[in-house]
Amino acid sequence: MAPAPETTYFPPLDKCLAGTERLISWKTAYRALCDVEHAKDNTTLQHFLNDDETIRLLSRPCGPYTRPTTGQGSTRSKFESKTAPIQVSQSSNGDYDLEEIKRDALWLSEQLNVDELVALRIAILEWQQRAADQLLAGTTESDTAAAKPAESRASFLASTASFGASLNGPPNAILDFSREDVRRNRILRIHTEERGSLLKLSADLVSYYASQASAGLRTSRIWIDELAVKVADKQCSPLDSKASQEYLAECINVIDKTLQKLHDPAQWPKVFLESPVREDLFATTTLLNIGDEMRLVLAQLYTIEGVPGGFPVLRWFNIMKREHFQHLQELPGTPTLRDVSSIQCLASAISLALLQPGKTMQLIREAASAARQPEGAAYPQLRDEPYIADDRCVEELNTLILLAAAEGYDYAIPAVYAWGIIIMCIRDIAVPLITERQRESEVAVDEGSSDTEAADRGPPRREARLQETPLEKQWELIQRVPSALPREARTDPAKFLLAYVVGQMNVYGVIPGISSILSAAYGGDAIDQTALLAREALLALIKDGFEVVPYSGEVLEALFTVLAPSLDPSNRDLDLLPNSFVLDYNGGQPYVVEQALQRYPYELSPLLRIMTIVANADSEHRAGPPDSVQLLEALQTVTLMVPYDFRAFRLENEEANTNEMVLTDTLSLFVPKQASFAGEQRLIMDRAMHGSEDPDGNILLLPAGTTGYVIREDRPIVLKLVHKHSALEYLGLLLSTLLPTSPLVSAEYTAEMDRQTASEIVVLMNALLSAALRQHQGAEEAKFILGRLSNALPNEQDIITIVADIFEMQLLAHLDQAAQDGSLDLLVAGAELLSTLVKVSPERVWSILSRGSLLGTHGGASALAAVVGGTEVQLGQFRFLAACTRLYSRMVDDAIAGLVRRKPRASVASRNSRFDSPMQSADLTPERTMRDVLTAYQRVMLDGYQNLAGWRFSGMDEKQEIAETMARSFDVLLRSTYGLEAPVVKLAVKESEDGTAKKSRERMASLLMPAAGMVVQAFAPEAGIGSLLDSVAGILGDGTAVGDDLLPTSHRLLLTRQVNATSAFLAGLLRTLRTTEAQRARNLATGLLKTMPALATLFATDHAYRHELSILLHELVDTLASDETSDPPSLLGPLGPEAAKSFLALVSQLDRPLCDVSSELSMWTFLTAVLKGRQQWFAIYLLTGTLPKSRLKDSSTGGNGAHKKSSLTHALDELADISAMNPRRAAAMLHFVAVAQKVWVWATVTVRSHPVFLKNALAWLDVLQAPPRSANIAEALISANEHQTAAYLCNILAVNLHAGLETGDKTVLKMVVPKLGFLAEHGVTVNAYNRSLHRRLAENLARKFPQCDLADFQRSGANAAPYGKTFRYDTELAGIVLGGHEQLAWYGDEELRIEAYKAEVERANVNLSLVDAQRTLLDAWKTLATTLAEFVDAEPALQPALVQATQACLRANVDARLDEPGTAEVLQTRAEMAFVLLSKLVGVKAKEAVMKELLPAAWNLVRTSPVDYDVATAPEDLLYYRTLLQILYLAIRPHCYMPLLASPPAARDGRATETEQEPKPTLPVAVAGCLVEIVDKTIVPGFRALCANLHTDLQLALPSDFALINALLQAVLSVKGIHIAHIQIAEAISRSAIVRSALSLYSWSDQLAEAMIGQDPIYGEVAITFLLTLSSLRPLAEQMALDGVLTQLSSANLSNYFRKPGGKGPFDEPARMFAGIWSEGFLPLCLNLLDAVGPPMAGEVAAFLNSFPEQLGRAEDAFKTEVPGYRRNNKPHVGDVSLGLVREVRSLVMIGLILRHDIARGAAEGVDAAAIPVLAYDLANAKDEVEKLARTQRSLADKVVATSEREAVWARTGAGGASDSLLLAMVVEEVKRTLRCFGE
């Protein structure tokens, strides 16, 4: 049997149980899809929901599961096949019990009669969820207390308690999964959850499809839209209306069966009757399923084109009639689900939607039109007959609805009302038709009195019309009502129904309740559009009902309630009801708008509220003012109720009885205050009228002659006058009259101005401004509105001032505890308006807040605190606090956006021309004012944040919004201040180009620093733990409520955003403190550690938390580990044992099964931090899959246990296919593996033992490509991630190689060597920096925005970002600061060909990402290469790659551009790498031909170095140069040990012999010239410079520097064939007079020794060593002899040390004097001089040595065991032999023999032998002593003593042959050499 194809819905069982492909539950998918913004980028979720099986189930959600079957091809056989041993086997490590899972699945299949595979999937889900459920159930009481310090959540959580908790066990219980009852309870719960979630998801998708434009979804690029189309088409395809109707009827039947089952426990599965808990589970689930089935039906009704058919309509209403309207009316809840009103309201909405009154009446009217045609009347021919065309359906439906109305069921009222409107339409058409037909029938009878007459007249003209039309038949059927109904119901059913519904049943009182309940239950979700569909149906009903109940107060209240959710800004993008409201069926303005305008301003409040709704609708055109503004600007009439005794008008055209009239006197709308005397009143009116040239547009008064109508004749009379004017002007002036200082008041017969009306005016103003901001010229249109509102104000006031004064007046009233009704509403409206004004005129808002009492900026009490504490806390409603919090967020955003805009330009500040505009910066708010406002606001917000957990909120959405807004604003403050690098402080004052002084720049966001500092101080005080952490714990604890399935989706999303915002803020705060004040960071981390139970619970509650929680936990671990002096506290410490195990198991799952990339990356980063943060137990679990020492083994209760497959193994398995992975995922996992190897030695064994990881990773590395030189953004970003991945891989390989080096295992080495091509060639390359891009960007940005620099937006360590478009420069913040200031410049315009600065900054960020990745790879390659160098001796195949890498380092440093940032570090790294590799290669005497080619590159580096010993001013300046000299030394060494190559043969002479034609090996001329240049340009100047530096700074002339110069010279002189350049070298040295410098250094060395530790004469040794090296060159030695070098050395103060009594030997301090200056200095120097000059030098050498008699005497007695007493004082080492002593005797013997020889041959050499003094050293005695040493090596071994650290190492180093140690072998060799001098 062929295996079934793999699906993402149910992957192969072995992968599911192994954890590689975890099952995605329907609950997980449903919750993930609710958050569209994150779901649309989740490819795993996309693949799951687009799986064929998933689509099939979503298309049939009411009956998705098949029943079990047996036999061939049955469900049982498929189950057996899927669980067969060939498919999956029992886990060897006990991760799962396969047989147990199979038993549970079969039990579930048997109990619930479902497919075995379905049951198996449920059983696996139960196993998967054990860790999370154990964590949720296993929190200890102390954990709960820590997570929930506040009691404010108790009532909220109690009302939404999860019914699953009772099945899992009591709170704080440990789940025992070995118990069968526990598992099966959980399986039942999960099955009901899965069934319900599938139904929810299907209903959501269909409702989403129904609410959107079908064509738009079908062309959308978002996969969620495509999914909705797929599911909806399969349920209700627009191409198959009949099938859609049948499926609709099927769903209605399912609802019927579910309702019957709910009320009949006998139909319940028996398993649910075994306990009350299970009964509650089944009842609750059934109720929830009924609601979701109804949602599905409601959505399907909106996907069906046209009117539903008769069968589904009758089926539904029969169900409702038979029992369920009454049952729904009295539907009981369950202990878990007490409130079932949403289900009842859904039934009501479906009943209304089935009738489709609007479309149905359109069909009726079309039928009526057809009735007037000759062909007769009939309903339009549709593909499927609508229910209204089915007479039987109409008759039965009419009876059902009439009976429902008679019974008075509330939830039937909307449908009854709709049916009443429909049959009224039928009546209004049918009755005239009936009357007409009857009249025509009577006429026909009269005309046809005889057949003859009829025949003569021909056929009747209207024979067809005499037939009864379908509408007439329907009306007759409608009139057939049950006899039980009142008589009027039979006479006129339409009139009866409408009167009954509107009157007794109060339909307009029921509609608001239904709308509110459905909005609360299903509103605010981007996918679930159930509430929107229901409200749309209710809105259509209200609009259709205008023919029945015209414009009235109850109609308006119902309308406002239905449209109220549309006014929430967060719903605007999804809620399109305002558009539907504005679009009238017949075109023109909606009826309700017209009626409100007709009553304006007599009835002002309705117009204000209606226009607020209109303003929320989309304008027809984006250019110009919004449609709502245009409407208010062009009003033509005013309606007024004039005083009782008003007589100033006359009637016109009385004979026409039209009530026309004309004013005979002016009529004022506003009058002066009564307190003013007559003259003042007249003055006020004159001022108010001043400037009003057009009397028709004046809003103060209506002139005589104004025409109009008398609307109400009873006094007081109501007049409607024609007066063209602006309602905005009127509203602005009317609002100003609320102020006590207003000179005008509204006339007593106009609208009364109270606080409620004022708040509605302000709300309308806010809506108009928001509508204006959505236009193309948003800000300008908004300013136009403000201008129109201010136009009529007296005394040149403006509307913003009026609103501010009213706002302040109400604040003062609350401070004085004298607030009146409506004051709070007015304050809320004022705060919302100020928030909107921030986008229009922010400076005015800053001014208002600085002068007002809201914040108490002038030392007074904060009115905000007074309002909240005095009013809102008692009400439990915090609308004002929420509005002020939004205002605070806007003010912070504006302060950030104005950081550049508000700074004066330097050119403007420096020039004071008389032509400059005085208003150029006059409207800018001073920084001091802004700083004071922000500080005061911050203080109030922090106080409010502290009290959030203690306040009781009647609506939790307010708390969630407030907490989220505060947290995000706090985070923005920190990111804008501490998140950007502070500018480098430069004390010097610069001169600018124009000559003015420029001071060093301050931090760009210095304005925000006080407020940000308050945030830091509040949450992390300098000592102790901040009190705000209690509020943090409470806010985080609130997030656990999202696990409740009964929580509305909108609340769940709000809670998710609240917790995520809080987590992000805390992570940023920890990061900020760790980079500024580490101790405060640790204090905060210690406090947050106490909330670990809450964090762990949140981690288990919902996938949506994991990303931000992982980041927070990462920062928490890093902060706890920042103290290197002590071990950090355990992250698992606050958790109980079982909770800790569950948390570990949960974390090890990463973000599976959803596998969101961002969440997974953050979790890998967190796990890596755990390894680095010394969290031992946690780390061991991640690396092994078990807890250490088995102290937390799986309990006997069968707990979830520690998963055996470790995170390390999982990472290696994933990385086995690294070439197909997302580079960011690969880099994160490799980083984890690399750190694992560093912290745990056995991790290396795991890595090496993996079958394919290293092989595949190296294969990927080998084919890696370098980035192209002109890479675009995508290519550069991909390359950056690949380089980072390669860097981590290099670190892993280095550790593995090091381990192999210790164990002798070369397996990894042999794998690595062939794969080094990319690294050797490109590993050291750091050349991606685009210099022109960065320079051009900086220059252009500084030119466009001179108030800032590009560096101002550089991220700090507290605001790090991954590689990408925001890596180095914070583009989001730059977009706020620069984009708001110069939007066109920042975002650009393709049409205008304006290049965007944003795009340039993003390119710069990507470029810097690549540069950083190259540097990271360089560091890692350096580590790997230096490790490989350890194998260079054992693996010769490595040499070519390492030589190539060394050559690449040198070439890269030669080609480096020094003006690029970070170049110095890169150069140093490459130089160090080259030095290490070259030293290893030289150490093994690598003979690759390319070794000799390294010298020119090394010399070129030294030659072109910008720093040398001469120009260096600080010790750090010489670091790189010293490394270059070391490399140069090593580059010379191959020329010393590699043989010379023969030069190419010259043209041969034919007569020459063959031997003469063979070329001799010589040193190439180029190499010789290079070496001479090294001596002339580096060694000589270097030594002189070092000597000079000694007089300024010893740190610039360290002994090691002299040693390095000397080593270079020795290397040059050791080159094979260098003799051809001896003369040039000698000339270069002679010209420099460095011999004199060396002698001078020696003469000063005794004084320099006083500055050294222990008075070490090291500089004396340096000088002698250098002179010794120079003397090895014969021409130089001769010159030195002529210069009397020995005489000068003898006369130096330091030489007197050897003249002290007893001399100085190797055991005397300082030891350097003997070894460095005497035995290896003076004596070899004398030998070199004797060798170079010969006998003429003998006398000077003898005299020089004889000047140290004590030293020579000590040398004679050095090997004597019996030393005279006068020489034995303080000689503890008598008889000891050292290597120095042996070398000393050899040198003295050689000198003595040479002198003896010169004396003997003096005459022959032209030297006076008598002038040569005899060396005061007994050669015979020396011979005897040396012979004694040579007699027995064993006795010599006992005497050899090490006198230096180097000799001590040699003493411990073994040697071949008879010698025990290398030191002994060297001594023996020196003894033999000495004896050979004597000829033995």
Side-chain angles (χ1 to χ4, degrees), residues 1164-1227:
W1164 279 117
T1165 306
F1166 163 52
L1167 299 183
T1168 305
V1170 168
L1171 299 182
K1172 293 190 294 186
R1174 293 170 288 157
Q1175 298 284 334
Q1176 286 85 355
W1177 279 35
F1178 203 152
I1180 291 299
Y1181 179 84
L1182 295 177
L1183 299 175
T1184 64
T1186 56
L1187 291 169
K1189 300 182 181 179
S1190 301
R1191 280 181 285 182
L1192 292 177
K1193 291 182 179 178
D1194 289 348
S1195 63
S1196 60
T1197 57
N1200 52 288
H1203 289 189
K1204 299 301 180 182
K1205 184 175 182 179
S1206 66
S1207 298
L1208 177 60
T1209 304
H1210 171 72
L1212 295 175
D1213 290 343
E1214 291 289 312
L1215 290 167
D1217 192 16
I1218 188 173
S1219 58
M1221 290 182 67
N1222 181 322
R1224 294 179 61 196
R1225 290 185 67 238

Side-chain angles (χ1 to χ4, degrees), residues 80-344:
E80 297 295 343
S81 174
K82 197 172 187 69
T83 58
I86 195 174
Q87 300 290 345
V88 62
S89 59
Q90 173 59 40
S91 172
S92 60
N93 50 29
D95 280 357
Y96 55 86
D97 188 337
L98 180 59
E99 293 302 320
E100 182 182 271
I101 292 175
K102 291 170 61 177
R103 287 195 305 270
D104 291 342
L106 292 175
W107 174 85
L108 180 65
S109 174
E110 178 184 357
Q111 295 297 323
L112 299 185
N113 199 25
V114 296
D115 183 348
E116 289 88 349
L117 287 180
V118 173
L120 177 62
R121 191 174 189 275
I122 299 298
I124 295 174
L125 285 174
E126 185 276 331
W127 169 77
Q128 280 187 183
Q129 297 174 12
R130 289 180 181 180
D133 291 345
Q134 184 70 277
L135 187 59
L136 293 174
T139 307
T140 63
E141 295 181 3
S142 60
D143 297 343
T144 306
K148 302 180 181 179
E151 299 178 357
S152 61
R153 297 180 299 283
S155 60
F156 174 67
L157 294 178
S159 64
T160 58
S162 175
F163 55 76
S166 58
L167 290 176
N168 283 335
N172 307 328
I174 297 176
L175 299 179
D176 185 355
F177 297 113
S178 64
R179 291 177 49 187
E180 189 175 80
D181 60 329
V182 172
R183 293 196 315 275
R184 293 183 175 177
N185 277 337
R186 286 168 46 77
I187 288 174
L188 288 175
R189 176 179 62 80
I190 293 173
H191 176 267
T192 57
E193 287 179 352
E194 289 294 281
R195 175 73 173 79
S197 297
L198 169 61
L199 192 54
K200 284 185 175 68
L201 185 54
S202 180
D204 284 0
L205 289 171
V206 179
S207 68
Y208 178 69
Y209 171 85
S211 65
Q212 307 295 319
S214 175
L217 286 182
R218 294 177 189 277
T219 58
S220 174
R221 297 180 180 178
I222 302 178
W223 66 268
I224 298 176
D225 295 349
E226 298 173 356
L227 175 65
V229 172
K230 284 183 183 179
V231 175
D233 283 353
K234 285 185 176 294
Q235 292 186 6
C236 301
S237 173
L239 301 179
D240 192 350
S241 179
K242 182 178 180 181
S244 300
Q245 298 279 357
E246 292 175 353
Y247 186 73
L248 176 62
E250 179 184 340
C251 291
I252 292 174
N253 287 333
V254 170
I255 294 176
D256 182 24
K257 294 178 182 178
T258 309
L259 284 168
Q260 292 181 25
K261 184 181 295 185
L262 175 67
H263 299 297
D264 184 9
Q267 300 184 36
W268 295 12
K270 294 181 180 180
V271 69
F272 286 106
L273 299 175
E274 295 178 358
S275 69
V277 173
R278 292 183 179 180
E279 289 180 2
D280 178 52
L281 170 63
F282 185 81
T284 301
T285 303
T286 304
L287 281 172
L288 293 175
N289 290 345
I290 290 172
D292 293 324
E293 290 164 357
M294 289 182 176
R295 289 174 51 226
L296 182 62
V297 169
L298 179 63
Q300 290 169 350
L301 287 172
Y302 279 87
T303 63
I304 297 175
E305 296 183 2
V307 179
F311 179 74
V313 173
L314 278 181
R315 182 63 181 146
W316 174 263
F317 279 97
N318 272 307
I319 294 171
M320 293 295 104
K321 178 260 177 184
R322 185 175 66 246
E323 55 180 342
H324 298 306
F325 260 131
Q326 180 179 359
H327 284 178
L328 284 174
Q329 186 81 14
E330 304 170 357
L331 187 65
T334 66
T336 299
L337 182 62
R338 300 181 184 277
D339 184 7
V340 294
S341 58
S342 61
I343 301 175
Q344 297 165 333

Side-chain angles (χ1 to χ4, degrees), residues 69 102 211 237 353 388 404 437 598 622 641 662 717 862 1025 1266 1486 1577 1620:
T69 58
K102 291 170 61 177
S211 65
S237 173
I388 196 64
R437 183 168 53 81
Q598 295 293 332
R622 288 295 183 183
M641 184 174 66
V662 177
I717 298 174
S862 169
I1025 299 175
K1577 300 295 180 62
I1620 67 174

Side-chain angles (χ1 to χ4, degrees), residues 1078-1090:
Q1079 185 56 49
R1080 293 173 71 177
R1082 287 191 288 271
N1083 292 342
L1084 175 62
T1086 303
L1088 288 176
L1089 191 59
K1090 298 177 181 178

Side-chain angles (χ1 to χ4, degrees), residues 971-1245:
D971 188 40
V972 168
L973 271 177
L974 294 180
R975 192 157 60 92
S976 304
T977 50
Y978 299 99
L980 300 178
E981 286 288 356
V984 179
V985 178
K986 298 180 180 179
L987 301 179
V989 177
K990 295 183 178 180
E991 289 290 328
S992 61
E993 295 179 358
D994 56 2
T996 59
K998 292 175 62 178
K999 296 183 180 179
S1000 60
R1001 294 184 302 107
E1002 62 180 3
R1003 189 189 291 264
M1004 182 179 67
S1006 58
L1007 167 69
L1008 305 173
M1009 286 301 296
M1014 291 179 66
V1015 174
V1016 173
Q1017 179 63 28
F1019 285 91
E1022 296 180 358
I1025 299 175
S1027 58
L1028 287 180
L1029 289 187
D1030 291 339
S1031 294
V1032 169
I1035 290 171
L1036 292 175
D1038 287 343
T1040 57
V1042 301
D1044 183 3
D1045 292 333
L1046 304 182
L1047 191 69
T1049 303
S1050 58
H1051 286 275
R1052 184 164 60 248
L1053 294 177
L1054 285 173
L1055 274 174
T1056 302
R1057 291 200 295 266
Q1058 168 189 317
V1059 172
N1060 285 339
T1062 305
S1063 301
F1065 161 64
L1066 292 174
L1069 181 60
L1070 284 170
R1071 211 163 31 240
T1072 299
L1073 288 171
R1074 198 170 62 248
T1075 57
T1076 54
E1077 299 180 67
Q1079 185 56 49
R1080 293 173 71 177
R1082 287 191 288 271
N1083 292 342
L1084 175 62
T1086 303
L1088 288 176
L1089 191 59
K1090 298 177 181 178
T1091 66
M1092 188 59 200
L1095 298 179
T1097 304
L1098 289 173
F1099 207 91
T1101 302
D1102 200 291
H1103 280 270
Y1105 291 144
R1106 294 191 178 180
H1107 175 58
E1108 295 296 344
L1109 281 178
S1110 298
I1111 296 175
L1112 174 58
L1113 292 173
H1114 163 218
E1115 299 298 335
L1116 184 60
V1117 170
D1118 280 354
T1119 305
L1120 292 173
S1122 60
D1123 185 5
E1124 300 290 344
T1125 61
S1126 61
D1127 290 334
S1130 172
L1131 194 67
L1132 305 177
L1135 301 176
E1138 291 297 328
K1141 288 199 301 182
S1142 301
F1143 179 68
L1144 291 173
L1146 192 63
V1147 167
S1148 65
Q1149 298 173 12
L1150 300 170
D1151 195 50
R1152 288 171 286 172
L1154 288 180
C1155 299
D1156 179 72
V1157 174
S1158 59
S1159 299
E1160 185 178 3
L1161 292 177
S1162 61
M1163 293 188 70
W1164 279 117
T1165 306
F1166 163 52
L1167 299 183
T1168 305
V1170 168
L1171 299 182
K1172 293 190 294 186
R1174 293 170 288 157
Q1175 298 284 334
Q1176 286 85 355
W1177 279 35
F1178 203 152
I1180 291 299
Y1181 179 84
L1182 295 177
L1183 299 175
T1184 64
T1186 56
L1187 291 169
K1189 300 182 181 179
S1190 301
R1191 280 181 285 182
L1192 292 177
K1193 291 182 179 178
D1194 289 348
S1195 63
S1196 60
T1197 57
N1200 52 288
H1203 289 189
K1204 299 301 180 182
K1205 184 175 182 179
S1206 66
S1207 298
L1208 177 60
T1209 304
H1210 171 72
L1212 295 175
D1213 290 343
E1214 291 289 312
L1215 290 167
D1217 192 16
I1218 188 173
S1219 58
M1221 290 182 67
N1222 181 322
R1224 294 179 61 196
R1225 290 185 67 238
M1229 293 184 190
L1230 285 171
H1231 189 199
F1232 174 81
V1233 175
V1235 174
Q1237 291 189 147
K1238 291 181 179 179
V1239 300
W1240 193 53
V1241 64
W1242 293 106
T1244 305
V1245 178

Side-chain angles (χ1 to χ4, degrees), residues 41 205 273 449 456 486 555 607 632 701 740-741 744 757 833 885 937 983 1005 1058 1064 1156 1363 1456 1496 1615 1685 1819 1849:
D41 298 324
L205 289 171
L273 299 175
S449 57
D456 294 340
V555 173
L607 178 66
L632 292 173
L701 53 82
T741 58
L744 298 175
T757 304
L833 180 61
T885 304
Y937 221 145
Q1058 168 189 317
D1156 179 72
Y1363 291 156
V1615 171
V1685 63
L1819 292 177
V1849 173

Side-chain angles (χ1 to χ4, degrees), residues 101 161 823 1610 1726:
I101 292 175
S823 177
Q1610 290 176 348
C1726 292

